Every structure is written in C-alpha cells, then in structure tokens.
Amino acid sequence: MAVSPDVFPPRKRRQPAPPPSFCSSDKKLLLQSLLLVSQEICSLRPLGSLLKRNTSSIIRKSRLLSIVFEELLRLTVFPPAALVCLEELYILLTRIKALVEDSTSTINDDDDDDDDHHHHDNNIPASSSSSSKMWLLLQHESISNSFHDLNLDLFTILDIFPAQELDLCQDVRELLALLTKHCFAENERAYPADSPDALLRIQLLDMLDSIHREIIPDPSHLAHIFRSLGLADSTSCRDEIESLQRQHHLLQLQADRAKSAADITALIGLVRYAKCVLYGASATPGRSPRATPPSHDDLNIPPDFRCPISLDLMRDPVVVSTGQTYDRTSIVAWIESGHNTCPKTGQSLAHADVIPNRALQNLIAAWCREQRIPFLPTGANPNESSSSSSCGGAPAALNKTALEATKMTVTFLLSELTASQEAEMANRVVHELRVLAKADSDSRACIAEAGALPLLLKFLGSEQSSLQVNAVTTILNLSILEANKTRIMETEGVLNGVIEVLRSGATWEAKGNAAATIFSLTGVHAYRKRLGRKARVVKALVDLARDGPGGCKRDAMVAILNLAWDREAVGKLIEARVVDMVREVMGELPEEAVTVLEAVVRRGGLTAVAAAYHVVEQLAGVLREGSDTARESAAATLANMCRKGGSEMVGALAAVAGVERVIWEVMGMGTGRGRRKAATLLRILRRWAAGLDEADETSSTSYSAVNISPSSSTRGIVLPG
C-alpha cells in the first residue's frame, strides 16, 4: 500500500516526570499529589471528533477519582497495600495526563496560533476546529489503543485497591465500585475492527494506495470519506490542508518521525485534489501569497535577517569570502549559475566556500519564535522556496502518492481551464493553480510540464484585474524552478506577455509580480543579458521603482540590481534615467537604492558618474544615518565616484558639512568592507585638500572627461592610493 497502516505509530510520548519518593510518613503528600494531578487532567479539554469518547471518558474518571482523593485526605490510617496502590495510581495518572497532552499537541499544534488564523466560534473547542481530521483518523487506532491500555491498568489498580480496609463513607465506596465497573466495561471495546471509524480509516488508506498506483479515485467514494470527516466545502478543505501542514512541520523537527512527516504530504495532495474535484475551484481570497520574492512587509522582518538576493527571511545564513551573509540556497544557486562575484558588493570571490553563520541563525530562530513564525532550517525541505516556510515539509518527490495526487489535480484544473467560458470561472481555476504553484517544486514541475504556460498566456492581457494578477503570479511561482525559467523564456509569447504586464498591468500588484518574475528569470546569466538588452524592460522597471508603492518598488529594484551587474544593461539603465530614479527613492529604500547606484557606477564608467554627480549629498546622508549595509554601499559608491569623477566630484563631497566626521564613524564602527571604503574616501579627501600634484592633474582632466560621449573610454582617472 502507498501508506501502510503501520507507518502511523503513536506519537513518541514525552516521558512523565518520575514520581516523588514517598515514605510511610508522606501519606498526606502522596494524596495531595494525586489530587493535584487528577485536577490537572480534569482541566484538560476533551479532544474533538474521533477521540472525543476516549478523552471524555478518561477526564470523567479523573474527576471522580479527585472526589475519592479528597475523602482519603481525611483519613489517617492506611494499610500498606493501599499505599502501594496509591503510588501506582500516581504513576498511572501522570501517564494519562501526558497522553492527553501529547494527543492534544498531535492534532492541535498551537492553540494560540489557531486563534490567529482560524476565526472560529469561541464556544467550540480549538481541538475540534483546528485539528487535522485525516491525520487524526490515521492515528486513531494507535492512540485509542494507548487509552485502552491505560484504562486496563486503571481497572487493575482499582480492582485490587483495599477499599474495604479503609474507613470510607458509603458514597465513596459505591463511587469506587462504579469506577471499577466502568473501566472493566470499556476494556471490551478498545478499537473494534468493524467500527465506523476503523472502516473509514481502511477506505482512506485504500484510496491513498489507489492514487499511488495512478488510479483516479471514484468521486463518490471520495465524497463519502470527506463528508464523513466533516470536510464538506472548500473552506473546510483549505483549513484541513493548513492543519496538515502544521503537523507536517512538527514531525519534520523529529528525526525519528521523518517517514510519517513524508507520508503527510500524501494526505495534503489528496485533500488538494478532492477540494478541486468535489467542490470546484474556490473563490479568490483577499490575499493570496506568491512564492517568491516576497516583500513580507506585514511581518516587518529586520533588514539583517533578509537575504540580500531573495530579500526573504534567511533560514540558513552563510558567509562568503567577502564577508557578506546570504541564505545558503540563494548564494549556492548564484555561484552554480556561473557567477564568481559577490552579489552585494560586486567583488570577486576568492573561493566558492561558504561558512555557516550560526550566531545569526540562532538570532533569526529566536525572532521567529517571538513572532510565532515556523522556523525550519534549510535542509528539512529542499524543494521549498524560503517563502514557503509557513508550511515546512519533506521533499514531495520522495512520496509517489503525493506526486500522483498533484498530477491528478493539475490535469483536472487544466481541463477545467480549457473548458471554462466565463472569466470568473477561469479566475477561480487560475487562482487554484497559483496556490498549487506556491506549494513545492514538484507542483511547479507538474504544472509546467502539463502545458499550463500557453493557457496562462491568454489571461495576462485580461481586462479582469484579479485574473491578470493570478495569471502573472502563477508564472512567477513557476519561475522558481530552474527548468521552468527555460520554459517561460522559450514558450512563444509568455515573456512578452509578462513584459506587457510590467509596462501596463491593470494593478500595481500585477506590475510588481511581473517585476518579480523578471528578477527570477535574471538568475540565469544568459537570460539576464537577454533581458538587459530590452529597453522596454529596463524602462518599465525604472518607472515602477520610481512610481510604484513600497512592495512594487522593492521588486523592481532587485530586478534592476540583477540587470546592473551586466555592463551592456547598465547603458540601457542610464538611458532610462536610473540615477534620477535612485535619487527619488533613496529616502524610502536607502539600502536598495544605494546598492543599485553602486552597481551602476561600478559598471557604467564616466557616463554614470556624470549622471550621479548631484546625488553625492544624498549618499553622504546615507553614510551618516543609514544601516550598516547601506553605509557600506554608500562608502563604496562614493569612493568609485571620486576616483572616476576627479577633483570636482571630490570637492562636491568635501563640501558636505561634517562629512569627515561621518567617515571616521564608519571607519570605527562599520562593516569590514565599509571600514576599508571609508578609509579610501578619507585618503582621497585628504589628498584633495592638500592640493597634491596628482589631484591637480586629475582636476584638469578627469571631470571634463565626464561629459564625453558614452562611447568614449570608461576607465576614468584613478587618484593615488
């Protein structure tokens, strides 16, 4: 079978705390401990749905036992046999408490998080509204058996408890007899093989096995299982997927449960398929995330926690030879695509080795815990982009059932998209593809291989804005996969369609996601050169960076930065007045603006320096008040501008009030590269102030050369030092 009934053993239980060491004089302490633990069990909420009978029964028994313990506290004389039974009972109750708590955490990962993400009725226990019903069904037999074993132990202790030797009132004696009778009765029905829950579990396992063997499930059987579990509409299916993803994340963090975590992907694939087949493509929610590169403005991620390449939260920060830190996935992809320079500084990498930044990773993990964001280090899910961290997971490629379910879902959605005649229906289907393309690499591969790109192309020019947004964002999500970059570039009309959305999209969101797609495509060197030659791409990115809202500006800026590492593209950027744009956005996005300007000046020669002349004062302002990263780029940019621009450029910098003091501050407290560039700047200013012959020579030749045509030499005049 695709998912064997035996792959869902009971969750590894926490070992209960060892019982206190009681002696004959500690009878009161023992009874107080028993009363306390029984009351703690009573305070727990019964689990919903499938385990409600088990948990309600054990909580009810604990409540009755607490009455017995209160009566026993009034006694002073206990036979030795009674004390032995009470000590065993204490151990048993701590095991019961641990089982209920572990079962609760198995299906309710975090009640506080659920309150944030599920606006359910406060009268409904979180366990019933937020748990994964499918996971609970597959776990049901093992958890029920655990409850049965504990009930059997409880019956054994109560059966031999010498109540007749104790001075108990008649009511308590009858209560103990009733408890013993109930425990005995429940021993006969642990988990009947013919119970509705057991039969439903077998049906679910059989369906997963059929999908594994590439057999499309019978819709009527599918509907029976889902409706029996209360998954009767798109919303409940979406909640079930989220619950499975949270459980998946928890199991991923347990090395001994990796197999179970991988098998949950099969359940997620099944629910996605059933959601589309049984209830149709769901309506587009107000916010539907894209896969990359996310802005995460709503999370307010500290700048130092973002990868400079993807702008997303770093999961596995590593340091390269230049001292800059990147997320491992991003920098490795950058190096493997043929680059030998640091993306942020443009410096040549002395070697391709990377060093884990454990201190920063610990800080990020601590911040994620404070923000209630799941933090799954790189390696747990190599198929996911960093932005899909919310769900975590094992590689879906390792699970054939999940892969086949994804293929079936894609086939169904594309057939629906081909047959759809109305824009609203097409929008729902494209939105489902958008969400699926965000999930993992297997989904992205399946969607592209099934021929989705030509179908999506016709919606890029849709007059319905939400349909256009969904189409371009689906293409963005698909572009994360390296093979899909080639498909997007080579499928006739798709690239031009994305460019047109970038230039004249119906909404800022559509334009921003088109810019993010361009950024994704520029990760391939050949495509970066090809896109950098297109004046309409460059101009559209510059216009978006200048005029768009915050998230769109950032999307455009990172795409421009990627293009700016190619000298041929820099000429197009200068023609598109990129320096003027940088001046306008520097106050809003100082780090991105200064980094773009640094790249343009480094590769644009004298023409870029001439265009950047009036930005010197703004760069000095960033040098004074910017972040460490921004100050580093500002110092490097000013050093390049002064070297290439000559005495008049140096004079413009020297005219900024207090600039030397600011440079001294960077030399003392900046990053390693920032300190070096600041020292270079100070040396240039000192030589200029001293009126050295070399500076005078530079003054007479270099800045006049700034006004020569772009076709002239771009070496510039380098000041001494």
Side-chain angles (χ1 to χ4, degrees):
M1 297 180 71
V3 181
S4 166
D6 299 326
V7 302
F8 296 101
R11 180 188 175 114
K12 186 176 181 179
R13 305 295 171 197
R14 292 179 290 106
Q15 293 299 319
S21 178
F22 299 112
C23 65
S24 59
S25 62
D26 289 333
K27 294 186 288 293
K28 185 173 182 180
L29 176 59
L30 171 57
L31 289 168
Q32 288 173 339
S33 300
L34 282 164
L35 179 60
L36 178 62
V37 72
S38 64
Q39 289 173 340
E40 288 174 346
I41 296 173
C42 294
S43 68
L44 298 175
R45 292 175 297 180
L47 303 185
S49 181
L50 300 169
L51 284 176
K52 186 173 184 179
R53 181 180 64 83
N54 299 94
T55 52
S56 296
S57 175
I58 207 72
I59 290 172
R60 191 164 52 248
K61 291 185 179 72
S62 298
R63 186 173 294 113
L64 296 177
L65 282 172
S66 67
I67 298 173
V68 176
F69 299 144
E70 288 176 349
E71 174 68 15
L72 289 173
L73 274 169
R74 289 194 284 270
L75 303 183
T76 57
V77 179
F78 292 87
L83 288 175
V84 171
C85 288
L86 290 174
E87 289 179 359
E88 290 297 322
L89 195 55
Y90 177 83
I91 297 173
L92 178 62
L93 288 176
T94 57
R95 290 169 57 201
I96 290 173
K97 179 173 176 282
L99 176 60
V100 176
E101 288 178 338
D102 276 348
S103 299
T104 302
S105 61
T106 295
I107 63 174
N108 304 316
D109 307 331
D110 189 334
D111 288 343
D112 292 334
D113 284 349
D114 293 335
D115 290 339
D116 293 336
H117 300 292
H118 299 276
H119 302 289
H120 50 72
D121 188 340
N122 290 334
N123 295 323
I124 300 175
S127 59
S128 64
S129 62
S130 62
S131 62
S132 165
K133 297 176 180 178
M134 287 201 160
W135 175 246
L136 179 56
L137 177 62
L138 292 176
Q139 291 273 68
H140 190 218
E141 180 177 7
S142 60
I143 297 177
S144 293
N145 286 335
S146 296
F147 276 107
H148 175 262
D149 292 341
L150 292 175
N151 185 75
L152 179 60
D153 291 343
L154 180 58
F155 166 73
T156 302
I157 294 173
L158 293 177
D159 191 46
I160 65 173
F161 184 73
Q164 68 281 359
E165 299 179 23
L166 296 170
D167 186 20
L168 296 173
C169 68
Q170 187 62 30
D171 288 343
V172 173
R173 291 179 186 274
E174 291 177 357
L175 183 58
L176 280 171
L178 181 64
L179 266 173
T180 306
K181 181 179 179 181
H182 282 181
C183 290
F184 177 78
E186 290 187 8
N187 285 334
E188 303 300 320
R189 55 177 198 274
Y191 190 77
D194 59 348
S195 70
D197 295 339
L199 295 176
L200 191 63
R201 181 175 182 270
I202 292 172
Q203 291 172 16
L204 177 58
L205 290 169
D206 286 344
M207 182 161 291
L208 290 171
D209 180 60
S210 297
I211 292 174
H212 181 82
R213 292 184 285 115
E214 303 179 28
I215 300 173
I216 297 176
D218 185 317
S220 62
H221 294 165
L222 197 64
H224 169 70
I225 293 174
F226 273 68
R227 285 167 185 157
S228 297
L229 289 172
L231 304 174
D233 52 37
S234 292
T235 300
S236 59
C237 287
R238 186 166 59 244
D239 291 343
E240 176 70 8
I241 291 172
E242 292 175 358
S243 298
L244 284 167
Q245 288 171 337
R246 287 195 299 274
Q247 182 62 39
H248 189 273
H249 168 68
L250 288 179
L251 291 174
Q252 270 285 300
L253 302 181
Q254 303 177 47
D256 59 336
R257 299 308 302 274
K259 181 64 167 63
S260 294
D263 284 320
I264 287 186
T265 60
L267 296 176
I268 294 173
L270 174 62
V271 179
R272 283 181 180 144
Y273 174 74
K275 174 177 174 287
C276 295
V277 172
L278 297 180
Y279 310 121
S282 59
T284 306
R287 286 180 58 196
S288 180
R290 68 189 188 197
T292 192
S295 64
H296 279 313
D297 289 335
D298 53 328
L299 292 180
N300 295 317
I301 296 176
D304 290 341
F305 293 176
R306 292 180 185 271
C307 173
I309 297 175
S310 67
L311 295 183
D312 199 12
L313 183 70
M314 288 188 281
R315 303 285 172 171
D316 187 5
V318 294
V319 181
V320 297
S321 62
T322 60
Q324 299 297 321
T325 298
Y326 302 92
D327 199 38
R328 183 186 296 272
T329 303
S330 299
I331 192 62
V332 168
W334 170 269
I335 294 172
E336 289 180 350
S337 63
H339 299 90
N340 62 354
T341 57
C342 174
K344 193 170 181 180
T345 66
Q347 294 174 286
S348 296
L349 295 173
H351 51 77
D353 297 336
V354 295
I355 301 172
N357 191 336
R358 300 301 185 199
L360 180 58
Q361 187 178 49
N362 291 337
L363 289 174
I364 295 173
W367 179 83
C368 286
R369 286 194 296 270
E370 292 175 1
Q371 302 295 320
R372 298 188 180 278
I373 301 171
F375 181 77
L376 190 60
T378 297
N381 186 3
N383 279 336
E384 280 283 8
S385 69
S386 57
S387 62
S388 53
S389 65
S390 61
C391 60
L398 298 178
N399 191 300
K400 187 174 186 295
T401 307
L403 181 60
E404 293 302 326
T406 298
K407 288 180 179 179
M408 292 176 187
T409 305
V410 170
T411 300
F412 175 82
L413 289 173
L414 293 186
S415 65
E416 290 287 296
L417 190 60
T418 302
S420 62
Q421 301 295 322
E422 299 178 358
E424 181 58 34
M425 186 59 204
N427 189 32
R428 290 171 178 264
V429 176
V430 174
H431 175 261
E432 290 290 347
L433 288 170
R434 170 182 177 173
V435 173
L436 187 59
K438 177 183 178 291
D440 52 54
S441 292
D442 281 336
S443 298
R444 294 171 197 128
C446 289
I447 293 171
E449 290 169 0
L453 286 171
L455 294 176
L456 292 169
L457 172 60
K458 65 181 181 179
F459 300 118
L460 292 177
S462 172
E463 295 180 357
Q464 184 174 338
S465 60
S466 60
L467 179 53
Q468 184 185 72
V469 168
N470 282 328
V472 74
T473 309
T474 303
I475 294 174
L476 164 61
N477 292 348
L478 293 175
S479 73
I480 300 170
L481 190 65
E482 202 70 16
N484 285 348
K485 289 180 171 62
T486 301
R487 291 189 177 99
I488 292 170
M489 295 294 291
E490 295 181 356
T491 300
E492 184 178 358
V494 174
L495 177 60
N496 285 334
V498 172
I499 294 172
E500 285 307 307
V501 175
L502 174 65
R503 296 177 63 198
S504 55
T507 64
W508 288 120
E509 183 182 5
K511 290 182 177 182
N513 288 357
T517 306
I518 298 297
F519 165 72
S520 179
L521 296 173
T522 57
V524 178
H525 180 72
Y527 300 156
R528 181 167 64 253
K529 294 182 71 68
R530 179 175 162 185
L531 290 165
R533 296 190 190 105
K534 295 181 180 292
R536 60 192 181 125
V537 173
V538 173
K539 184 178 185 306
L541 288 172
V542 172
D543 289 344
L544 181 60
R546 178 190 297 110
D547 303 325
C552 294
K553 285 182 186 291
R554 186 174 288 108
D555 290 330
M557 292 293 279
V558 295
I560 290 170
L561 181 60
N562 255 12
L563 294 177
W565 297 123
D566 181 71
R567 287 188 177 276
E568 190 172 347
V570 168
K572 300 287 186 184
L573 286 167
I574 294 173
E575 292 174 9
R577 305 178 67 85
V578 68
V579 178
D580 289 340
M581 178 274 293
V582 165
R583 291 181 61 193
E584 293 180 30
V585 306
M586 193 171 293
E588 186 177 353
L589 299 173
E591 289 190 20
E592 291 83 353
V594 174
T595 307
V596 166
L597 185 61
E598 179 189 356
V600 170
V601 168
R602 182 184 292 272
R603 289 164 177 76
L606 299 179
T607 306
V609 174
Y613 179 75
H614 297 291
V615 84
V616 169
E617 189 171 349
Q618 284 181 286
L619 287 171
V622 173
L623 203 62
R624 178 184 298 108
E625 300 176 354
S627 65
D628 286 346
T629 303
R631 297 172 88 183
E632 174 188 311
S633 291
T637 305
L638 285 169
N640 274 323
M641 289 170 62
C642 289
R643 282 171 167 162
K644 296 178 180 179
S647 293
E648 292 189 38
M649 188 70 73
V650 180
L653 177 61
V656 178
V659 69
E660 282 202 20
R661 179 180 60 80
V662 173
I663 293 173
W664 274 107
E665 289 179 1
V666 177
M667 289 173 61
M669 297 183 294
T671 63
R673 179 172 179 254
R675 291 195 296 270
R676 293 194 301 273
K677 293 301 181 181
T680 300
L681 264 182
L682 186 62
R683 186 166 58 248
I684 291 172
L685 285 173
R686 292 290 174 82
R687 289 178 181 275
W688 174 84
L692 296 179
D693 291 342
E694 293 90 346
D696 291 338
E697 181 182 351
T698 300
S699 175
S700 64
T701 61
S702 65
Y703 194 69
S704 60
V706 169
N707 296 311
I708 63 179
S709 67
S711 60
S712 303
S713 171
T714 59
R715 288 185 59 198
I717 305 297
V718 180
L719 293 176

